Amino acid sequence: MREVALVGEDRGPLEAVVRSQFRPHIVVAGGETASGAVDGVWSVDPATARVTQAGHLPAPTTQGAAFVLGGRLFVAGGLGSNGSPSARVWSVDPA
């Protein structure tokens, strides 16, 4: 097993991300740094520990849930940049 460190846009540690297996990669979306919630989407190759930015969520999100359905990644709920709960569901194509 390899340890992969993700950092947010402000280069601080990234916490409270949503993640899901998107074979052969793991996709990580949103999360928060010391500066607040982020909107990044990253693809992680566990075999090489390579991390590639795959896009952005429509808005910064932290502490949501993620799942794969029909070949797409969905990110649901969580907290927005102001800390308020969100009922949004986004479909993300990390390819």
Side-chain angles (χ1 to χ4, degrees):
M1 180 184 304
R2 292 178 178 220
E3 183 174 314
V4 176
L6 290 173
V7 293
E9 282 82 4
D10 69 356
R11 310 313 276 169
L14 191 60
E15 300 175 351
V17 298
V18 298
R19 60 208 164 274
S20 187
Q21 183 73 35
F22 201 86
R23 298 201 186 270
H25 297 115
I26 297 169
V27 176
V28 177
E32 63 184 275
T33 66
S35 300
V38 298
D39 65 355
V41 177
W42 299 270
S43 177
V44 181
D45 183 340
T48 64
R50 181 177 172 172
V51 178
T52 305
Q53 181 135 22
H56 295 275
L57 296 173
T61 303
T62 184
Q63 300 181 25
F67 59 94
V68 175
L69 180 66
R72 293 189 65 85
L73 175 75
F74 290 84
V75 176
L79 302 175
S81 60
N82 63 0
S84 63
S86 172
R88 298 179 194 164
V89 178
W90 290 311
S91 175
V92 178
D93 183 3

